[in-house]
């Protein structure tokens, strides 16, 4: 099962995208609908609200008077958290009930208007954000829902800003064109990413990655941050720290398009205990032998964002070394240039330059081994330098 979070500002086109995903077979779970259902007349939810806020929040027909309730909590953080304290657990329970009915191979799309505002992104395998410029949204809301411009603008202003949404988005769907444009983007996303992602999660296999050395891409840092947030959420208190390491973490360096991530945990027992939860969250155990001593290797199941995740016990010399070499390379422009040269030189062998579908052929394996060996030798040579740099600068992990 794959769990996708779908959000976007009001009028951006969430419902349009959600219904296209449903046409492909996604199971939709609509947070707004659930939030209304759990406080319908006669529900324990509504009874709890009346017990807390009095029957001044009821309409004449006994249903929740939403505008009155909204007014009550609008400028009152305590009241709002009391209300959320009643509604959120009920929404959580109902969502869990719906999830329990989903097929093993379901692609579940959670339509959650306040996903970004409530920092929920890390709890999904993937976050999909639909956006359109504010003026376009205001116009569409006026046409489709008769919403006055002032109301539309006030709602837009109360929601997250584009910058916050972009930071949370694994996939950004621009819906400023015609509905056909966004629908065909959804079609491609479904076939090329969601379907294989779901299969990889269910079959517990990491997505393959290309073997080509590519120029540094600034989006790697942002992508790593999002993936690390997921990993930290899964690891909880067992995590000591989670970091982006390797060449994709160092600006300027060419790299293969796979993010190297490193999670350090408190004990060897934590390494084993976390494996099932990491697997469910989309980071199954990898078959490959770990190039790092003492690390257990996981891989990301998302074909749109290949990830290699090593899990080590805190205090492991290998974990420290990965952080040291990263920071030293970040600080030393000459070292960076030299490492980039070594990488380019040794990547230029058969197998590395070919973008393979992941199943390494014999030539690729030979190429990979040589490439890995060249990098290892260079790192062995420079470790003393990096250690001196650490001593001089007072570097600690
Ligand atoms: P949301 O669910 O994000 O609030 P909707 O999907 O309901 O937004 O879209 C708001 C309105 O704009 C709807 O009436 C919808 O039909 C319309 N709409 C959505 N996408 C487009 C588009 N690309 N071009 C024109 N109208 C659109």
């Amino acid at each position: 099962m794959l769990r996708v979070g779908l959000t976007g500002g009001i009028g951006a086109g969430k419902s349009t995208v959600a219904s296209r995903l449903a046409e492909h077979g996604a199971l939709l779970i609509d947070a707004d609908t659930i939030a209304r259902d759990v406080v319908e007349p006669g529900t324990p939810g509504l009874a709890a609200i009346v017990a807390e806020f009095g029957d001044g929040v009821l309409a004449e027909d006994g249903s929740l008077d939403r505008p009155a309730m909204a007014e009550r909590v609008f400028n009152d953080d305590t009241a709002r958290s009391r209300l959320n304290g009643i509604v959120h657990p009920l929404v959580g329970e109902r969502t869990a009930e719906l999830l329990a009915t989903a097929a093993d191979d379901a692609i579940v799309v959670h339509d959650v208007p306040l996903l970004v505002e409530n920092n929920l992104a890390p709890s999904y395998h993937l976050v999909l954000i639909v956006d359109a410029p504010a003026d376009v949204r205001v116009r569409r809301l006026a046409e489709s829902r008769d919403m006055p411009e002032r109301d539309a603008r006030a709602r837009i202003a109360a929601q997250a800003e584009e910058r916050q949404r972009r930071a949370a988005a694994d996939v950004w769907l621009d819906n400023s064109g015609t509905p056909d444009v966004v629908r065909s983007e959804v079609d491609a996303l479904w076939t090329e990413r969601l379907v294989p992602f779901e299969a990889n999660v269910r079959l517990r296999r990491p997505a393959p990655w290309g073997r080509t050395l590519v120029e540094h891409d600034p989006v790697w840092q942002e992508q790593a941050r999002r993936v690390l947030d997921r990993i930290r959420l899964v690891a909880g208190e067992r995590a000591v720290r989670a970091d982006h390491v390797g060449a994709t973490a160092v600006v300027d360096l060419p790299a293969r398009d796979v993010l190297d991530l490193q999670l350090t945990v408190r004990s060897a027992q934590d390494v084993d205990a976390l494996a099932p939860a990491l697997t469910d969250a989309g980071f199954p155990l990898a078959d490959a032998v770990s190039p790092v001593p003492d690390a257990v290797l996981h891989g990301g199941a998302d074909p749109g964002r290949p990830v290699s995740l090593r899990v080590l016990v805190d205090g492991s010399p290998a974990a420290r070394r990965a952080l040291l070499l990263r920071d030293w390379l970040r600080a030393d422009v000459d070292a960076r240039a030299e490492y980039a040269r070594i990488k380019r030189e040794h990547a230029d062998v058969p197998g590395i330059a070919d973008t393979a579908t992941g199943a390494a052929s014999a030539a690729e394996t030979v190429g990979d081994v040589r490439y890995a060996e060249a990098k290892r030798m260079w790192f062995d040579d420079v470790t003393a330098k990096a250690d001196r740099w650490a001593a001089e600068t007072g570097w600690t992990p």
Side-chain angles (χ1 to χ4, degrees):
M1 181 192 296
L2 188 75
R3 298 180 57 230
V4 176
L6 168 66
T7 194
I10 182 163
K14 270 188 314 299
S15 318
T16 309
V17 167
S19 49
R20 187 58 166 186
L21 289 164
E23 281 170 39
H24 280 290
L27 172 68
L28 290 188
I29 296 188
D30 185 323
D32 264 358
T33 308
I34 295 178
R36 271 195 297 273
D37 287 351
V38 297
V39 296
E40 281 286 294
T43 56
L46 188 58
I49 289 178
V50 172
E52 186 76 38
F53 295 96
D55 44 21
V57 295
L58 289 182
E60 301 236 313
D61 63 358
S63 66
L64 182 65
D65 182 345
R66 290 175 181 279
M69 189 72 244
E71 188 136 329
R72 188 85 171 65
V73 302
F74 187 67
N75 272 324
D76 184 342
D77 289 348
T78 322
R80 189 164 48 246
S81 58
R82 272 155 55 211
L83 177 64
N84 288 342
I86 296 169
V87 177
H88 285 179
L90 295 169
V91 170
E93 271 171 38
R94 182 74 191 120
T95 304
E97 278 167 28
L98 291 172
L99 277 176
T101 67
D104 276 355
D105 63 353
I107 296 177
V108 181
V109 173
H110 296 257
D111 181 338
V112 185
L114 297 182
L115 186 151
V116 174
E117 289 78 354
N118 291 333
N119 290 319
L120 299 175
S123 60
Y124 300 98
H125 288 112
L126 183 110
V127 169
L128 181 56
I129 297 196
V130 194
D131 191 61
D135 288 343
V136 173
R137 289 154 61 195
V138 168
R139 199 179 63 232
R140 287 181 190 161
L141 289 168
E143 283 165 9
S144 67
R145 296 184 207 166
D146 262 343
M147 192 183 284
E149 171 162 355
R150 269 192 41 200
D151 286 9
R153 296 219 182 261
R155 283 170 185 238
I156 289 174
Q159 294 185 332
E161 291 168 19
E162 177 178 334
R163 183 180 46 80
Q164 295 165 296
R165 287 208 185 92
R166 284 211 183 258
D170 297 295
V171 177
W172 185 261
L173 287 175
D174 174 10
N175 184 26
S176 52
T178 65
D180 278 352
V181 174
V182 79
R183 276 197 287 266
S184 69
E185 277 184 46
V186 170
D187 295 349
L189 175 73
W190 179 267
T191 320
E192 289 160 22
R193 190 157 180 186
L194 301 184
V195 169
F197 193 173
E198 185 287 317
N200 290 340
V201 170
R202 180 166 32 91
L203 301 171
R204 299 162 187 218
R205 60 185 186 203
W209 57 73
R211 313 178 95 78
T212 315
L213 196 65
V214 297
E215 290 311 312
H216 194 89
D217 188 337
V219 308
W220 286 337
Q221 319 299 323
E222 280 285 292
Q223 293 174 334
R225 195 184 42 67
R226 281 193 290 274
V227 178
L228 286 169
D229 282 345
R230 294 194 167 100
I231 291 166
R232 288 191 192 99
L233 180 67
V234 173
E237 303 221 311
R238 295 184 196 273
V240 175
R241 57 187 295 156
D243 297 279
H244 181 198
V245 296
T248 57
V250 181
V251 173
D252 289 354
L253 283 181
R256 289 189 192 174
D257 192 1
V258 49
L259 304 179
D260 281 318
L261 305 178
Q262 173 170 288
L263 171 67
T264 55
V265 294
R266 299 167 313 185
S267 68
Q269 197 213 338
D270 284 342
V271 176
D272 296 335
L274 277 175
L278 284 170
T279 300
D280 285 348
F283 306 98
L285 285 165
D287 268 345
V289 180
S290 170
V292 182
D294 304 327
V296 169
L297 211 57
H298 292 248
D302 179 1
R305 185 50 279 165
V307 159
S308 168
L309 168 67
R310 48 173 92 137
V311 185
L312 301 107
V313 178
D314 185 43
S316 129
R320 178 185 181 279
R321 187 164 183 255
L323 293 170
L324 168 61
L325 290 170
R326 178 198 68 186
D327 291 349
W328 172 66
L329 283 168
R330 280 178 176 172
D332 189 325
V333 63
D334 295 333
R336 226 157 46 226
E338 191 180 318
Y339 184 41
R341 188 182 54 74
I342 303 270
K343 291 187 75 149
R344 288 188 212 281
E345 194 176 301
H346 292 272
D348 197 19
V349 293
I352 294 286
D354 296 333
T355 301
T357 49
S361 70
E364 278 155 3
T365 309
V366 170
D368 279 1
V369 169
R370 278 202 221 120
Y371 176 67
E373 184 62 10
K375 291 195 302 179
R376 195 187 58 72
M377 280 168 53
W378 186 75
F379 276 123
D380 285 349
D381 280 353
V382 297
T383 294
K385 251 192 220 175
D387 278 330
R388 266 202 306 282
W389 172 81
E392 280 162 21
T393 59
W395 178 89
T396 51

